[in-house]
Amino acid sequence: MLEELLRQFASLGSRVEKLETQEPNQSRYLTLHAYNQLMPVTADGGVLICGNPGTKRIKCLSWTPTTFVGTTNDGTNYWTVDLQYGVTGVNTTLGTFNTSADTVSTWTKHTVTSFTNNPAPTTVSYIFIKVTKTGAPGLLYVTNLLKVLEIT
């Protein structure tokens, strides 16, 4: 019995080392921070950004932004909000929605679970949110919750 216990104890170190070097297959939330424009947004451009220091591909699982459009917002005056990634200055859209159906001066939660160009390649430098006006919508606030999975 003592021999069996010693043998199991001796193999424990290699099992722990193997566990420590394996990447967990778990999702994470990325935080995006102010970029180019401060809130509220009044012009087209990038608003939130997150760098990608890793070497793994990033797969988007869900994107749950919340928007607030002050004053005018309707079928002809609205914001388009794009989730994009950048590789050497070339930006590619992952997901998109617009605020045309949002109630004015109300925080509206959007949920995006269908993505294009997903997963993003290992060469991604950043992930960001770009906003574009159609017509003359009111000022825009946008928050972000992006759930991703790092894959090899």
Side-chain angles (χ1 to χ4, degrees):
M1 181 167 174
L2 182 57
E3 283 182 15
E4 176 64 21
L5 188 58
L6 289 172
R7 190 166 44 86
Q8 287 181 7
F9 184 72
S11 68
L12 181 63
S14 64
R15 286 185 286 174
V16 168
E17 184 177 294
K18 184 176 180 181
L19 284 173
E20 287 176 346
T21 58
Q22 290 177 341
E23 283 293 323
N25 195 18
Q26 296 180 352
S27 60
R28 295 170 172 74
Y29 287 97
L30 291 182
T31 57
L32 280 75
H33 304 279
Y35 170 71
N36 254 0
Q37 302 184 60
L38 296 176
M39 303 289 172
V41 177
T42 58
D44 295 358
V47 291
L48 299 170
I49 194 165
C50 171
N52 178 27
T55 57
K56 294 185 173 26
R57 297 169 72 196
I58 295 174
K59 181 176 183 175
C60 295
L61 302 177
S62 66
W63 177 35
T64 313
T66 303
T67 56
F68 180 100
V69 182
T71 65
T72 308
N73 188 67
D74 54 37
T76 56
N77 300 287
Y78 59 88
W79 292 92
T80 299
V81 183
D82 295 321
L83 178 66
Q84 298 186 339
Y85 66 80
V87 177
T88 320
V90 177
N91 300 323
T92 303
T93 299
L94 287 159
T96 189
F97 70 92
N98 71 59
T99 66
S100 62
D102 293 7
T103 302
V104 172
S105 299
T106 303
W107 286 99
T108 305
K109 181 176 162 182
H110 300 267
T111 301
V112 178
T113 56
S114 179
F115 299 95
T116 57
N117 307 299
N118 194 31
T122 58
T123 53
V124 166
S125 301
Y126 52 85
I127 294 176
F128 76 110
I129 293 176
K130 177 185 174 192
V131 297
T132 308
K133 288 171 132 179
T134 297
L139 54 84
L140 172 70
Y141 290 89
V142 60
T143 66
N144 178 70
L145 190 57
L146 177 60
K147 187 175 185 180
V148 300
L149 181 65
E150 290 181 322
I151 58 175
T152 55

